[in-house]
Amino acid sequence: GEQVEQLPSILRVQEGSSASINCTYENSASNYFPWYKQEPGENPKLIIDIRSNMERKQTQGLIVLLDKKAKRFSLHITDTQPGDSAMYFCAASQGNMGYKLTFGTGTSLLVDP
Amino acid sequence: DPKIIQKPKYLVAVTGSEKILICEQYLGHNAMYWYRQSAKKPLEFMFSYSYQKLMDNQTASSRFQPQSSKKNHLDLQITALKPDDSATYFCASSPGHANSDYTFGSGTRLLVI
């Protein structure tokens, strides 16, 4: 199986600053690492993902880093805005069980204006 | 237009009763899933289906039974409901079973009293 740890559980930052969320996983066979944003009462929405053949991926103010040796991946939100306030979940899936996502416990991000 | 329709959005049930959660996807996907999100727990994988066939079941209790009448339908029947079953149940789909490029539905929030 797989277990994913996510920290911090709560993160509060000032508008315009950066926010970082870290996740670790246990199974070295995991090769797909998506990040989801979930607003209150809404479904989780994929915001960025990274596969094990990459170490870094960037899109629209989001950066994902993957360190396979340390079994660690992280999400960095640059220039945060109040609209970034939400729950963020990391997840991992394995090659031969690529259908099944194991989620972290979530980070509640609050961006103060 | 929502691509994955879950009904109902909210559901209150009495302990011991039986309910069916409805899920239909209009993405042309071949794989469908159920996940559960309880308070203070991460999103948990429950079931996966591919071409209407059960592929994986990580639910310990037989009280949870998926039902797939069509390729784009995956309903979830829950019998003998307990207060601990209270959670938000998310249906999801992906293009194929080996593909974790998920789209989540909007969820059914179940409260068992």
Side-chain angles (χ1 to χ4, degrees):
Chain A
E2 175 64 285
Q3 292 217 19
V4 177
E5 299 293 326
Q6 182 172 349
L7 289 171
S9 56
I10 300 173
L11 180 58
R12 189 167 188 170
V13 300
Q14 285 293 126
E15 181 178 358
S17 65
S18 297
S20 296
I21 304 171
N22 299 293
C23 290
T24 58
Y25 61 99
E26 291 186 354
N27 194 326
S28 56
S30 290
N31 60 0
Y32 176 64
F33 307 92
W35 287 87
Y36 287 84
K37 177 182 180 182
Q38 186 178 25
E39 306 203 48
E42 299 290 322
N43 56 337
K45 293 181 173 65
L46 179 69
I47 53 173
I48 192 169
D49 57 14
I50 191 166
R51 297 188 184 275
S52 58
N53 60 349
M54 300 176 72
E55 294 179 350
R56 175 190 169 100
K57 186 172 179 180
Q58 181 169 356
T59 179
Q60 296 179 335
L62 302 174
I63 300 170
V64 174
L65 302 176
L66 173 62
D67 181 342
K68 286 179 289 187
K69 274 189 178 177
K71 296 182 190 171
R72 182 170 56 219
F73 57 114
S74 57
L75 172 69
H76 305 273
I77 307 172
T78 60
D79 188 24
T80 53
Q81 299 299 310
D84 294 325
S85 298
M87 283 293 292
Y88 290 81
F89 293 93
C90 62
S93 71
Q94 303 162 39
N96 63 342
M97 297 181 72
Y99 59 89
K100 178 182 170 184
L101 290 174
T102 301
F103 283 85
T105 48
T107 296
S108 176
L109 173 64
L110 179 61
V111 180
D112 289 324
Chain B
D1 287 337
K3 299 294 195 286
I4 300 184
I5 296 173
Q6 286 192 246
K7 292 185 281 191
K9 191 169 177 67
Y10 301 98
L11 185 57
V12 180
V14 175
T15 297
S17 67
E18 172 183 313
K19 293 294 179 187
I20 295 180
L21 281 54
I22 305 294
C23 178
E24 306 170 12
Q25 56 94 1
Y26 296 93
L27 293 160
H29 287 169
N30 298 315
M32 295 185 71
Y33 314 87
W34 278 100
Y35 278 76
R36 173 169 51 200
Q37 187 173 39
S38 310
K40 300 178 184 177
K41 283 188 175 182
L43 277 149
E44 298 173 287
F45 174 90
M46 298 179 72
F47 298 97
S48 68
Y49 267 64
S50 178
Y51 291 96
Q52 295 184 264
K53 289 187 178 177
L54 177 66
M55 302 300 289
D56 194 1
N57 175 0
Q58 295 291 322
T59 303
S61 172
S62 60
R63 296 186 298 108
F64 294 83
Q65 291 292 328
Q67 299 171 344
S68 181
S69 59
K70 299 180 188 176
K71 195 182 90 169
N72 68 327
H73 282 230
L74 186 63
D75 300 335
L76 181 64
Q77 180 186 41
I78 314 174
T79 57
L81 279 160
K82 303 177 179 181
D84 278 352
D85 297 331
S86 299
T88 300
Y89 291 82
F90 286 102
C91 176
S93 69
S94 68
H97 195 248
N99 186 326
S100 38
D101 186 9
Y102 280 28
T103 300
F104 280 91
S106 54
T108 291
R109 190 169 292 183
L110 172 66
L111 176 63
V112 183
I113 55 175

